[in-house]
Amino acid sequence: MTKHFSTKLIALGLAAVLAAGSLAGCGQSGADGTSATSSTAETITNDSADTTTMQTIRGKEIDLSKTTLLGGSMAQGFGVVKPESWQEVPEDQIFAGNAEGGMSVGYVPEAAVAETENIGDETLSNEERVAIYEAYQKAALPVAAILAVADGEKIEDNAEAKAYDKTKQLASANGYSYYLASNTSLPDDANLSDSDKTQMQALIDAAGDLADNLILFPPESEESGEKVSGDLSSFETTDLDGKTVDQSIFADYDLTMVNIWATWCSACIEEMPELEILYKNLPEGVNMISICGDAADEKEMAEKILKESKASFQTLVANDGLNEHLLNNLSGYPTTIFVDKNGKIVGDAQLGAPGSDVVEGYQALIKDRLAEVQA
């Protein structure tokens, strides 16, 4: 996907958002800021985190293929759709990120957005690009948050909630009470332009609309594997060197690890050097390749990232066929799948890095998947 900077790093479809950690209504909070409890009898919880059509907690049907998701949490079973009332604010100025017990949404001032304009400069190192993104993230000023408070705990004890003027309970399900926390005015100490003040105030005034866009579904462990539909049993594309590649590249190996990434994904870039270490130490009968999801548009950037990371494994360019049969079914980047010699997926996919020790984590996954195909 070729989108603006913040959208590239934040809103990718159901799971890209949810795992970044960034799915997730019921009216405005009272003027006094007191909490109001929604009856669980009124609350609709979807059967699963479906990547096509879901319903909000009040029954509004959402077509996720035509919807912008702000964020959420797979582990806490919620996500939030971007409200219609927020559409006039430039997407680069709305930042959704992880928060204690949920997700937060902030406004990024125009000056901070301007600092990201050169993030695609090929003279920048990977570390410099990550630093630009981190500065952009830190510049976000809090507007609202959706917080999941586990049964038996209190919203008053949530550290994130203390950053907001008021809270309102929206629903109870999944062993959680879901709250909207929001601010009612602009921060006194922020150096904002007149345009910034207008844009941020518009978000604050319509923060209650987030409540009407809350989606609930059964929580999934963020540490567990992820089911991915599709396979690589029949495809044809090229690699970054222009060589034609098809499913025959798997035939000589019992197992092939396929790391799927994108040039704008900081987590993908950060794990790349460790993937090379892993590649150089693969067990017999195992190979590793990668697929770059945006290499068709960002070939030079992809090549630069791989060169700086000293990555020598083969990298394929995602085309329409790969997108339709595999990549469009992914939750986010990086995602790693394992396929047998016929290109069929073996076991669950790994979303994100498998623990703090990337090499050791992937080695454990390879051992498990190899045992499956050799059984």
Side-chain angles (χ1 to χ4, degrees):
M1 298 182 181
T2 302
K3 296 184 178 180
H4 293 99
F5 173 68
S6 63
T7 306
K8 280 186 173 184
L9 289 160
I10 302 163
L12 257 186
L14 172 64
V17 183
L18 299 186
S22 103
L23 212 33
C26 340
Q28 303 277 353
S29 297
D32 59 357
T34 57
S35 298
T37 303
S38 297
S39 167
T40 55
E42 298 176 308
T43 300
I44 292 176
T45 300
N46 296 272
D47 293 335
S48 65
D50 192 284
T51 57
T52 54
T53 301
M54 300 185 75
Q55 290 185 322
T56 68
I57 59 173
R58 292 296 174 260
K60 179 183 177 181
E61 192 168 278
I62 301 294
D63 181 348
L64 294 178
S65 68
K66 302 176 182 178
T67 301
T68 299
L69 294 171
L70 288 175
S73 168
M74 296 295 289
Q76 294 161 332
F78 81 92
V80 183
V81 175
K82 185 178 180 180
E84 290 283 343
S85 56
W86 285 24
Q87 299 298 330
E88 295 302 315
V89 177
E91 59 184 358
D92 286 344
Q93 293 180 250
I94 301 175
F95 180 87
N98 294 331
E100 180 183 334
M103 61 157 284
S104 62
V105 185
Y107 175 80
V108 183
E110 294 172 338
V113 173
E115 292 297 320
T116 71
E117 290 181 354
N118 69 336
I119 197 168
D121 189 336
E122 294 179 9
T123 64
L124 295 177
S125 67
N126 296 340
E127 291 77 11
E128 288 171 323
R129 280 192 289 273
V130 170
I132 290 172
Y133 169 68
E134 290 177 344
Y136 164 88
Q137 179 180 354
K138 290 178 180 178
L141 301 170
V143 172
I146 298 293
L147 305 174
V149 178
D151 290 350
E153 298 181 2
K154 298 179 179 179
I155 185 64
E156 291 82 2
D157 296 329
N158 182 283
E160 181 70 21
K162 297 175 182 178
Y164 299 92
D165 299 333
K166 60 182 181 180
T167 60
K168 176 185 178 182
Q169 187 174 344
L170 306 178
S172 295
N174 303 325
Y176 292 97
S177 291
Y178 298 91
Y179 287 83
L180 169 66
S182 58
N183 282 323
T184 57
S185 60
L186 297 171
D188 295 331
D189 56 350
N191 184 20
L192 298 174
S193 66
D194 289 343
S195 176
D196 280 328
K197 291 177 181 178
T198 299
Q199 300 279 23
M200 186 173 180
Q201 190 64 56
L203 295 182
I204 289 173
D205 291 345
D209 293 346
L210 293 173
D212 296 321
N213 288 271
L214 177 66
I215 298 174
L216 303 181
F217 48 83
E220 297 180 10
S221 171
E222 293 181 340
E223 296 181 357
S224 65
E226 176 179 273
K227 302 293 184 184
V228 172
S229 58
D231 60 42
L232 293 172
S233 61
S234 179
F235 74 94
E236 183 176 297
T237 187
T238 60
D239 64 15
L240 284 176
D241 294 327
K243 178 183 175 181
T244 299
V245 181
D246 60 24
Q247 64 277 2
S248 64
I249 61 172
F250 307 126
D252 294 334
Y253 302 93
D254 294 324
L255 185 75
T256 299
M257 173 175 155
V258 184
N259 179 262
I260 306 168
W261 61 286
T263 62
W264 47 261
C265 169
S266 58
C268 303
I269 295 170
E270 289 171 1
E271 74 170 359
M272 200 66 72
E274 292 169 287
L275 291 180
E276 176 63 15
I277 295 172
L278 176 71
Y279 177 61
K280 294 297 188 183
N281 294 278
L282 290 172
E284 185 177 352
V286 178
N287 188 30
M288 186 179 85
I289 66 170
S290 79
I291 300 174
C292 183
D294 63 340
D297 297 322
E298 303 288 350
K299 182 175 183 291
E300 292 182 358
M301 181 65 73
E303 291 173 335
K304 176 177 170 57
I305 291 169
L306 292 167
K307 182 179 179 180
E308 288 187 4
S309 304
K310 298 181 171 56
S312 60
F313 44 83
Q314 188 176 28
T315 294
L316 311 189
V317 176
N319 58 10
D320 290 343
L322 282 174
N323 286 333
E324 179 181 354
H325 296 295
L326 180 63
L327 272 66
N328 288 347
N329 301 322
L330 303 182
S331 294
Y333 295 125
T335 290
T336 299
I337 63 171
F338 300 85
V339 300
D340 63 16
K341 58 180 56 196
N342 298 310
K344 297 291 187 179
I345 295 177
V346 180
D348 292 341
Q350 172 65 40
L351 179 60
S356 57
D357 189 321
V358 174
V359 175
E360 185 177 292
Y362 281 123
Q363 286 174 332
L365 291 175
I366 289 171
K367 182 179 179 180
D368 289 343
R369 304 301 189 274
L370 197 55
E372 287 187 49
V373 297
Q374 293 178 340

